[in-house]
């Protein structure tokens, strides 16, 4: 049976609470696992993604909306190491801190002794207003906001807020024949990410100092979206990898640790004031190329790739492939030139980091489901 990452229910059942946590959370520093890695990496990668940051000249009282699933885990560690007071606002359904592979006991204890928790439902606007106003946060990172209405009580509660940093999505861009997507490109008010687009518009209308980050596809350890995990499941099972159409569709992935550092780079940065930045990896990759990169990262043989026409199949409500079947990638030049940020991981290095610190250890978010694969492969055999 598949081994899932354990997320225990909190013992306290009260709806809202503020507490100093005594549990801990790993920084997932791949550098400390170097001697244990199954596959060799070049010397330059030994410190890839290591959370080595210098202390900020000014400590801030920072609130992270969310912070226990993926992006926030890495972001919160960076902020704590920079000397900021960090509070996570969550519903308390998942542990605020947990030790993860690769962390020393000392770092484990240090983080857990400093991270704070504000328990509540962000959709409870009255609670959000009263609780946030009482704490007077300097900066808010909104990692899990989807609608503008969820942001309004936060802004109203904090009239002296210094900066609101929002996790948006490159999915807001209007589909175009001209790529890569740039921050000035047309957006799609009907996209499934329209709530994020409306949030950006709301922030601009308030006069607050805001920054919006638009990631493309995010990958890395603890990824709850079936991005690299989808490929790893099939590679481990020794199965062919079904890819829609030609397989030369271009896409783009950005490592979560690089994204976390981008979020740090905009903090208190005047150049980031009221600006939008695309954040992702340096290069683009085809669907077929991604399958081969995942195989290389996990030490698997060259994969067998099966191409199919999605229009010839009825998968019902199941999703046969984890990416949108189109070219989809964005320019990160603005972030590089304006912020001085650049990704540290190339694709294979990043996928190796993800595999060795997560899937390769037997942990993943969803069990393998090859139902749609079998439909595709079954028809392929009959046709052949």
């Amino acid at each position: 049976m598949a081994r899932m990452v354990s997320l225990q229910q909190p013992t306290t059942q009260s709806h809202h609470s503020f507490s100093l946590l005594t549990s801990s959370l790993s920084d997932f520093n791949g550098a400390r696992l170097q001697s244990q890695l199954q596959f060799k990496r070049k010397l330059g990668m030994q410190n890839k993604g290591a959370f080595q940051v210098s202390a900020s000249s000014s400590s801030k009282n920072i609130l992270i909306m969310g912070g226990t699933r993926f992006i926030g885990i890495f972001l919160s560690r960076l902020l704590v190491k920079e000397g900021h007071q960090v509070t996570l606002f969550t519903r308390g359904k998942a542990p605020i801190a947990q030790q993860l592979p690769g962390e020393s006991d000392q770092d484990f204890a240090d983080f857990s002794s400093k991270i704070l928790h504000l328990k509540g439902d962000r959709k409870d606007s009255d609670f959000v207003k009263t609780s946030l106003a009482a704490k007077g946060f300097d900066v808010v990172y909104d990692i899990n906001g989807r609608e503008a209405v969820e942001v309004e009580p936060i802004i109203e509660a904090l009239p002296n807020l210094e900066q609101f940093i929002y996790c948006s999505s490159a999915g807001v861009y209007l589909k175009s024949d001209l790529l890569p997507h740039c921050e000035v490109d047309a957006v799609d008010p009907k996209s499934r990410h329209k709530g994020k687009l409306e949030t950006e518009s709301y922030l601009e209308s308030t006069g607050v100092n805001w920054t919006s980050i638009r990631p493309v596809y995010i990958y890395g350890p603890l990824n709850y979206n079936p991005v690299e995990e989808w490929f790893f499941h099939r590679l481990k099972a020794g199965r062919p990898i079904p890819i829609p159409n030609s397989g030369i569709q271009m896409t783009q992935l950005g490592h979560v640790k690089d994204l976390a550092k981008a979020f740090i780079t905009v903090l208190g940065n005047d150049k980031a004031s009221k600006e939008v930045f695309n954040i992702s990896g340096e290069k683009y990759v085809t669907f077929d190329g991604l399958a081969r990169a995942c195989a290389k990262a996990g030490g698997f043989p060259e994969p067998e790739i099966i191409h199919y026409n999605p229009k010839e199949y009825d998968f019902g409500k199941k999703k046969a492939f984890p990416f949108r079947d189109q070219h989809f990638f964005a320019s990160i030049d603005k972030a590089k030139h304006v912020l001085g940020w650049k990704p540290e991981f190339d694709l294979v290095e990043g996928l190796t980091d993800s595999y060795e610190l997560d899937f390769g250890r037997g942990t993943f978010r969803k069990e393998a489901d090859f139902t749609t694969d079998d439909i595709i492969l079954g028809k392929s055999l009959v046709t052949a």
Side-chain angles (χ1 to χ4, degrees), residues 7 47 58 73 103 119-120 167 214 217 230-231 248 256 258 261 306-307 311 322 324 332 338 347 369 377 383:
L7 295 179
N47 290 320
S58 175
I73 288 177
E103 176 173 36
K119 182 180 177 181
C167 186
R214 292 177 179 172
Y217 287 109
W230 187 90
F231 291 93
I248 63 172
V256 65
D258 285 330
K261 289 185 178 180
I306 302 294
H307 295 127
K311 295 181 179 179
R324 56 180 70 187
I332 59 172
V338 175
L347 184 60
D369 181 356
L377 296 174
T383 302

Side-chain angles (χ1 to χ4, degrees), residues 1-20:
M1 180 177 290
R3 293 167 55 194
M4 310 296 288
V5 171
S6 176
L7 295 179
Q8 299 178 351
Q9 293 290 330
T11 55
T12 302
Q13 298 299 320
S14 59
H15 293 290
H16 311 299
S17 63
F18 189 84
S19 58
L20 183 64

Side-chain angles (χ1 to χ4, degrees), residues 14-19 21 61-69 72-73 75-76 79 85-97 111 115-137 139-145 150-151 153-155 157-158 164:
S14 59
H15 293 290
H16 311 299
S17 63
F18 189 84
S19 58
L21 274 293
N61 183 10
I62 297 176
L63 174 69
I64 299 179
M65 301 299 291
T68 59
R69 295 188 71 188
I73 288 177
L75 173 59
S76 60
L79 290 169
Q85 179 175 295
V86 181
T87 300
L88 306 184
F89 186 109
T90 79
R91 291 175 294 176
K93 291 188 174 182
I96 299 305
F111 177 83
I115 193 70
L116 301 170
H117 183 214
L118 182 58
K119 182 180 177 181
D121 187 343
R122 69 176 298 161
K123 293 183 179 181
D124 183 347
S125 59
D126 289 337
F127 174 74
V128 170
K129 290 179 183 179
T130 56
S131 60
L132 269 57
K135 303 303 175 184
F137 295 103
V139 177
V140 173
Y141 280 95
D142 193 350
I143 303 301
N144 62 10
E150 298 172 345
V151 174
I154 300 174
I155 301 300
L158 300 169
F164 189 97

Side-chain angles (χ1 to χ4, degrees), residues 53 200 229 246 255 317:
V53 292
E200 289 180 346
E229 180 180 288
S246 67
H255 198 286
K317 295 183 178 180

